[in-house]
């Protein structure tokens, strides 16, 4: 099966091609069924490749499939090749598996949309691009997938492009990611300049030749790239606006796959980070700061999807914190658990929105557990899991991150544990407002567009009684809730499901050893559990009985620390003024002035020279005579001086 690795990527591409050619003819729901089939087939092949990889003896548990030589230019030899090892295979399994569930969910969620086939076309292409990203054996193939998911995210976020807010959100995501991608590109150039290869294996084998300063530079440049893709400070504001896309897009791109690309890349370059403690510390600080800032913002958001969006940013910060501490296995564990419980939460939120006829305002929800019991139970598992309530997966995954952080950087552990308390609080606030309390949706509410945050979504008038979603949407919820609850089994050392045993060969001696005693681990775990339960209790106690607490939802937090306004003042407005100056001065007076000036000179000189062309023979004879006289005069002077 290892020789069939290429099929993992090819099958979604075949689905994309079918949608491009026959999507309109297939229509609704056949187009969705075809797209889901090919992603599901990719998942089946992935399982086969995984089982075959298990047969390869550790620690050399890897396989490279060279498809063709892509760029054969002198010393630049880039192969279109795929690299299978425990890290890439872990990514492939949850990308294809969760993408299959999200495709199935989308068949019901997108029913009746006028661009139904195009939606699945984009989804298939996105999955193929993400698989190229994680399976690439060199930095350039990875970058192709990196750009592919960036383009697809733009199309999917702006899918309902007739809405100004959706079109703007798509452009915003595209621009922020391009800023980050510039760092990735420069890192590629610098790496090739020092190693004359872009193959990961060759780069890692020649770290000594790169030099410590250049290693740090490469790591920091790649960090700039992943700041954009994985929405870290300062390039995270695009992720909240990305909620303008359909909810399955939020689940697929902004919870389970695309935003974890940065986490994957940093784990892939672990030998470089291990060789640069300064770069690793920067990664940890960025992660801790992002986790805290995003968690505070999530505490005051009113749109259910924006709460989950900022929650995603915060959880990604935890993963970066783990990577910066050298706890790569902890980062991967949280990444997998997050894919399950955050995918579940987004799809559960989509089910609630669907049942409320497109209402996304938490203040217009309430008591949904009575009308949507299955959505409530499954969403509840995701809620308690992300809150890190034991024994659900989030408790084990987040606890692993915090333990390593405590040993490596105690100050950052304090930030992490405060963020954990905030996470339990804001997720309980969301659950309390949406599923408990009174039926606030039953009352017609006047929408004040002057005070609502930009991009708010509301159902018109009084909302009819909510209804449970159909099986196409609830089956994925059930499956994801099962894994969100039980994924903690991967933390059990020595079991056949142990994540540590599986990915150890990838990291080897680069893993951080926290050297914590058993008693210290028990104390830290107890603190984690107490913090989680206290956050859940406070959140429910405050928000199940009341929907308005202005003191806890200040404008500063609702406005996301006014970071968008800051960027607008520092970059946006000056750029507009620069553009206006260029349009009013540089373009007409400098550029056009240079062009028209050359034309005026040519025209003027032509007018002067034209006067010598009179058409009269006597004038020409006179000119000839004068010329002869001048030549003779010149010759005589030469003879005289000689």
């Amino acid at each position: 099966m290892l020789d069939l690795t290429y099929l993992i990527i090819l099958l979604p591409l075949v689905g994309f091609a079918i949608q491009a050619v026959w999507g309109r003819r297939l229509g609704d729901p056949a187009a969705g069924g075809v797209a889901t089939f090919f992603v599901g087939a990719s998942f089946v092949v992935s399982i086969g490749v995984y089982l075959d990889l298990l047969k390869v003896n550790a620690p050399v548990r890897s396989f490279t499939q060279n498809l063709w030589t892509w760029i054969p230019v002198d010393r630049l030899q880039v192969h279109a090749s795929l690299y299978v090892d425990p890290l890439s295979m872990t990514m492939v399994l949850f990308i294809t598996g969760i993408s299959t569930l999200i495709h199935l969910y989308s068949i019901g969620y997108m029913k009746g949309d006028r661009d139904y086939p195009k939606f699945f076309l984009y989804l298939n292409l996105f999955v193929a691009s993400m698989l190229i990203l994680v399976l690439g054996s060199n930095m350039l193939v990875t970058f192709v997938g990196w750009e592919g998911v960036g383009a697809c995210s733009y199309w999917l976020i702006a899918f309902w492009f007739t809405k100004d807010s959706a079109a703007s959100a798509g452009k915003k995501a595209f621009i922020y990611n391009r800023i980050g991608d510039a760092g990735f590109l420069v890192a590629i150039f610098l790496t090739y300049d020092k190693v004359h290869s872009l193959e990961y294996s060759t780069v890692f084998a020649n770290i000594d030749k790169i030099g410590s300063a250049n290693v740090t530079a490469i790591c920091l440049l790649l960090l700039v790239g992943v700041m954009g893709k994985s929405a870290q400070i300062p390039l995270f504001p695009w992720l909240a606006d990305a909620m303008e896309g359909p909810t399955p897009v939020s689940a697929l791109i902004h919870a389970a796959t695309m935003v974890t690309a940065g986490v994957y890349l940093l784990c892939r370059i672990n030998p470089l980070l291990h060789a640069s403690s300064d770069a690793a510390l920067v990664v940890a600080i960025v992660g801790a700061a992002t986790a805290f800032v995003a968690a505070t913002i999530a505490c005051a958001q009113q749109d259910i999807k924006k709460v989950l969006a900022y929650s995603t940013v915060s959880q990604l910060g935890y993963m970066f914190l783990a990577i910066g501490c050298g706890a790569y296995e902890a980062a991967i564990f949280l990444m997998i658990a997050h894919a399950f419980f955050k995918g579940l939460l987004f799809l559960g939120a989509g089910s609630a929105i669907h049942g409320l006829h497109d209402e996304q305002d938490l203040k217009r929800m309430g008591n949904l557990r009575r009308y949507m019991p299955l959505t409530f139970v499954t969403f509840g598992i995701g809620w308690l899991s992300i809150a890190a309530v034991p024994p659900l997966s989030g408790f084990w995954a987040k606890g692993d991150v915090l333990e390593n952080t405590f040993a490596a950087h105690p100050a950052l552990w304090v930030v992490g544990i405060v963020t954990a308390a905030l996470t339990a609080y804001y997720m309980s606030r969301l659950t309390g407002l949406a599923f408990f309390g009174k039926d606030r949706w039953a009352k017609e509410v006047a929408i004040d567009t002057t005070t609502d945050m930009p991009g708010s979504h509301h159902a018109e008038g009084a909302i009819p009684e909510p209804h449970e979603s159909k099986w196409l949407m609830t089956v994925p919820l059930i499956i994801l809730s099962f894994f969100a609850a039980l994924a903690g089994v991967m933390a059990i050392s020595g079991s056949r499901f142990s994540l540590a045993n599986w990915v150890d060969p990838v990291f080897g001696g680069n893993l951080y050893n926290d050297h914590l005693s058993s008693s210290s681990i028990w104390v830290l775990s107890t603190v984690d559990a107490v913090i989680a339960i206290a956050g859940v209790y406070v959140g429910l106690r405050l928000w199940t009985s009341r929907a308005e607490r202005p003191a806890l939802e200040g404008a500063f937090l609702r406005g996301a620390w006014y970071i968008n306004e800051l960027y607008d003042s520092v970059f946006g407005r000056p750029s507009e003024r620069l553009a206006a100056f260029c349009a009013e001065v540089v373009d007409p007076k400098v550029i056009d002035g240079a062009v028209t000036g050359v034309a005026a000179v040519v025209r003027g000189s032509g007018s002067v020279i034209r006067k010598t062309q009179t058409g009269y023979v006597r004038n020409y004879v006179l000119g000839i005579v004068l010329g002869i006289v001048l030549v003779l005069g010149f010759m005589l002077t030469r003879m005289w001086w000689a």
Side-chain angles (χ1 to χ4, degrees):
M1 287 295 290
L2 284 171
D3 291 330
L4 299 179
T5 299
Y6 69 93
L7 285 178
I8 297 175
I9 298 171
L10 183 60
L11 286 166
L13 284 176
V14 171
F16 162 76
I18 291 174
Q19 298 293 332
V21 178
W22 294 293
R24 290 291 181 187
R25 295 182 184 179
L26 290 171
D28 177 359
V34 170
T36 304
F37 169 79
F38 280 101
V39 176
S42 178
F43 176 58
V44 172
V45 174
S46 301
I47 293 174
V49 172
Y50 162 72
L51 294 175
D52 222 14
L53 187 63
L54 283 175
K55 299 175 184 177
V56 179
N57 293 329
V60 189
R61 186 169 277 165
S62 63
F63 170 76
T64 301
Q65 185 173 45
N66 189 13
L67 302 178
W68 66 83
T69 301
W70 178 20
I71 304 177
V73 181
D74 194 24
R75 289 186 300 177
L76 179 59
Q77 300 289 320
V78 180
H79 301 283
S81 53
L82 309 179
Y83 184 69
V84 180
D85 72 343
L87 175 58
S88 60
M89 205 63 240
T90 299
M91 296 292 295
V92 165
L93 285 171
F94 84 73
I95 288 169
T96 54
I98 293 180
S99 294
T100 301
L101 294 176
I102 292 172
H103 273 70
L104 180 64
Y105 178 95
S106 300
I107 295 175
Y109 190 89
M110 297 300 293
K111 184 175 179 60
D113 192 278
R114 67 172 189 173
D115 289 321
Y116 186 90
K118 185 166 69 174
F119 179 79
F120 286 95
L121 177 145
Y122 291 154
L123 283 189
N124 272 189
L125 182 59
F126 173 86
V127 173
S129 299
M130 190 68 195
L131 292 169
I132 292 171
L133 189 159
V134 299
L135 284 171
S137 71
N138 59 69
M139 296 176 77
L140 202 55
V141 173
T142 296
F143 190 73
V144 170
W146 192 271
E147 291 302 293
V149 295
C152 291
S153 71
Y154 164 69
W155 291 324
L156 286 166
I157 293 168
F159 184 74
W160 289 320
F161 59 87
T162 53
K163 294 194 304 181
D164 289 341
S165 56
S168 296
K171 289 183 286 187
K172 186 174 183 177
F174 191 82
I175 292 169
Y176 271 83
N177 277 271
R178 295 296 75 71
I179 294 170
D181 293 351
F184 196 163
L185 270 177
V186 177
I188 291 175
F189 300 150
L190 181 57
T191 302
Y192 180 76
D193 179 63
K194 300 303 176 183
V195 184
H196 303 303
S197 175
L198 296 176
E199 292 291 329
Y200 290 117
S201 57
T202 305
V203 173
F204 300 155
N206 291 277
I207 290 178
D208 293 339
K209 298 179 182 178
I210 299 175
S212 59
N214 289 319
V215 168
T216 299
I218 291 170
C219 290
L220 293 179
L221 286 167
L222 289 174
L223 176 60
V224 172
V226 302
M227 281 176 176
K229 197 69 71 185
S230 293
Q232 297 295 287
I233 288 176
L235 300 179
F236 74 88
W238 69 268
L239 192 65
D241 293 80
M243 298 302 105
E244 290 292 332
T247 298
V249 172
S250 304
L252 177 63
I253 294 179
H254 310 114
T257 55
M258 173 180 156
V259 291
T260 61
V263 179
Y264 162 78
L265 183 61
L266 291 180
C267 288
R268 175 58 71 200
I269 64 162
N270 68 89
L272 294 174
L273 282 174
H274 183 70
S276 176
S277 58
D278 292 338
L281 179 59
V282 173
V283 172
I285 293 173
V286 167
T290 304
F292 174 75
V293 170
T296 60
I297 296 171
C299 291
Q301 297 305 300
Q302 195 161 313
D303 187 309
I304 186 172
K305 288 175 64 177
K306 286 199 173 183
V307 175
L308 297 178
Y310 284 112
S311 172
T312 298
V313 175
S314 182
Q315 298 302 303
L316 289 166
Y318 269 111
M319 298 174 209
F320 275 63
L321 176 58
I323 291 169
C325 295
Y328 303 104
E329 290 177 357
I332 295 170
F333 185 14
L334 181 57
M335 178 171 61
I336 296 171
H338 179 265
F340 291 136
F341 60 65
K342 187 53 68 63
L344 169 62
L345 290 168
F346 266 113
L347 297 186
S351 179
I353 294 167
H354 185 72
L356 284 168
H357 304 275
D358 299 324
E359 178 59 69
Q360 294 182 201
D361 189 342
L362 286 167
K363 302 301 178 70
R364 295 196 72 200
M365 296 185 180
N367 199 26
L368 293 183
R369 73 186 193 281
R370 175 183 174 187
Y371 305 94
M372 309 179 71
L374 184 56
T375 296
F376 168 65
V377 171
T378 54
F379 188 93
I381 292 173
W383 152 48
L384 295 176
S385 184
I386 192 175
V389 173
L392 302 176
S393 62
F395 169 74
W396 304 100
K398 195 173 295 183
D400 202 2
V401 172
L402 291 173
E403 285 173 16
N404 283 276
T405 305
F406 178 82
H409 304 293
L412 296 182
W413 175 82
V414 174
V415 178
I417 201 69
V418 170
T419 304
L422 291 174
T423 303
Y425 165 77
Y426 69 66
M427 285 306 303
S428 300
R429 169 182 176 269
L430 182 156
T431 306
L433 287 172
F435 292 95
F436 293 91
K438 299 179 180 179
D439 300 350
R440 293 186 302 276
W441 46 266
K443 187 181 299 183
E444 184 170 350
V445 178
I447 306 302
D448 185 357
T449 57
T450 62
T451 59
D452 277 344
M453 299 299 293
S456 298
H457 297 268
H458 299 287
E460 296 181 2
I463 303 173
E465 183 174 302
H467 58 83
E468 188 61 270
S469 300
K470 296 182 179 179
W471 71 269
L472 282 170
M473 296 172 66
T474 54
V475 167
L477 295 179
I478 295 170
I479 296 173
L480 286 172
S481 64
F482 173 81
F483 285 103
L486 301 180
V489 72
M490 291 187 293
I492 302 175
S493 178
S495 75
R496 67 170 60 185
F497 302 106
S498 172
L499 181 66
N501 294 344
W502 170 241
V503 299
D504 262 349
V506 178
F507 306 110
N510 296 337
L511 281 172
Y512 176 72
N513 189 343
D514 57 32
H515 295 291
L516 291 175
S517 63
S518 298
S519 58
S520 298
I521 293 174
W522 272 102
V523 170
L524 289 171
S525 299
T526 302
V527 171
D528 294 343
V530 170
I531 285 290
I533 294 170
V536 168
Y537 173 78
V538 172
L540 287 180
R541 184 67 182 269
L542 289 174
W543 295 102
T544 54
S545 57
R546 290 176 57 181
E548 298 294 339
R549 291 186 182 273
L552 299 177
E553 299 176 315
F556 182 71
L557 296 183
R558 284 192 294 111
W561 286 41
Y562 297 122
I563 292 175
N564 280 310
E565 288 76 7
L566 173 65
Y567 289 173
D568 187 53
S569 299
V570 175
F571 302 108
R573 298 304 173 187
S575 296
E576 284 186 3
R577 289 193 290 271
L578 177 62
F581 174 77
C582 291
E584 297 169 6
V585 178
V586 177
D587 194 34
K589 296 183 179 179
V590 178
I591 298 176
D592 289 350
V595 174
T596 56
V598 171
V601 170
V602 172
R603 181 178 179 180
S605 59
S607 299
V608 173
I609 297 173
R610 185 174 59 189
K611 295 178 180 178
T612 63
Q613 303 296 319
T614 62
Y616 295 111
V617 175
R618 60 179 179 270
N619 291 345
Y620 301 150
V621 172
L622 177 61
I624 294 171
V625 171
L626 289 175
I628 293 172
V629 170
L630 290 173
V631 171
L632 290 174
F634 174 74
M635 295 301 293
L636 288 172
T637 57
R638 295 278 293 178
M639 292 173 63
W640 174 266
W641 289 108

